[in-house]
């Protein structure tokens, strides 16, 4: 089983996920915040860069909310048997 493909498929944005992102004020605000977007871009290019941002409450809160949202979606899809 190719887990990269498995997780990419599970994280593919759906209409429901987009709606939930837009309903989450912290994530929605973060997507328009240059400071958070800079951190996201930096971390996407170098995952170790998260250490440089771990003391920034805005970045930490953004990633926390995003992680909760995506984690709940992964759990739901696994329960539905979409493996």
């Amino acid at each position: 089983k190719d887990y990269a493909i498995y997780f990419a498929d599970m994280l593919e944005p759906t209409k429901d996920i987009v709606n939930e992102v837009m309903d989450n004020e912290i994530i929605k605000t973060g997507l328009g915040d240059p400071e958070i977007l800079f951190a996201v871009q930096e971390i996407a290019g170098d995952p170790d860069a998260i250490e440089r941002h771990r003391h920034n409450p805005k970045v930490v809160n953004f990633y926390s909310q995003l992680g909760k949202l995506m984690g709940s979606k992964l759990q739901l899809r696994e329960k539905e048997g979409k493996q």
Side-chain angles (χ1 to χ4, degrees):
K1 187 176 206 174
D2 186 339
Y3 283 99
I5 292 172
Y6 170 71
F7 285 114
D9 179 55
M10 290 188 71
L11 295 174
E12 182 179 343
T14 64
K15 185 178 179 181
D16 289 340
I17 290 174
V18 171
N19 287 338
E20 286 191 47
V21 163
M22 297 315 289
D23 287 344
N24 183 305
E25 210 50 48
I26 292 168
I27 297 173
K28 185 169 77 172
T29 301
L31 291 172
D33 184 321
E35 183 179 4
I36 291 176
L37 291 177
F38 172 78
V40 169
Q41 184 177 18
E42 188 176 33
I43 293 164
D46 174 15
D48 291 334
I50 199 153
E51 285 300 312
R52 290 191 287 277
H53 300 282
R54 69 184 176 100
H55 296 294
N56 183 329
K58 290 195 309 184
V59 173
V60 170
N61 203 14
F62 175 82
Y63 271 103
S64 175
Q65 292 296 309
L66 191 60
K68 286 177 188 175
L69 175 69
M70 297 313 293
S72 69
K73 291 298 164 198
L74 286 172
Q75 288 177 343
L76 180 62
R77 290 191 72 180
E78 284 183 348
K79 284 180 184 176
E80 292 173 348
K82 294 183 180 179
Q83 298 183 13

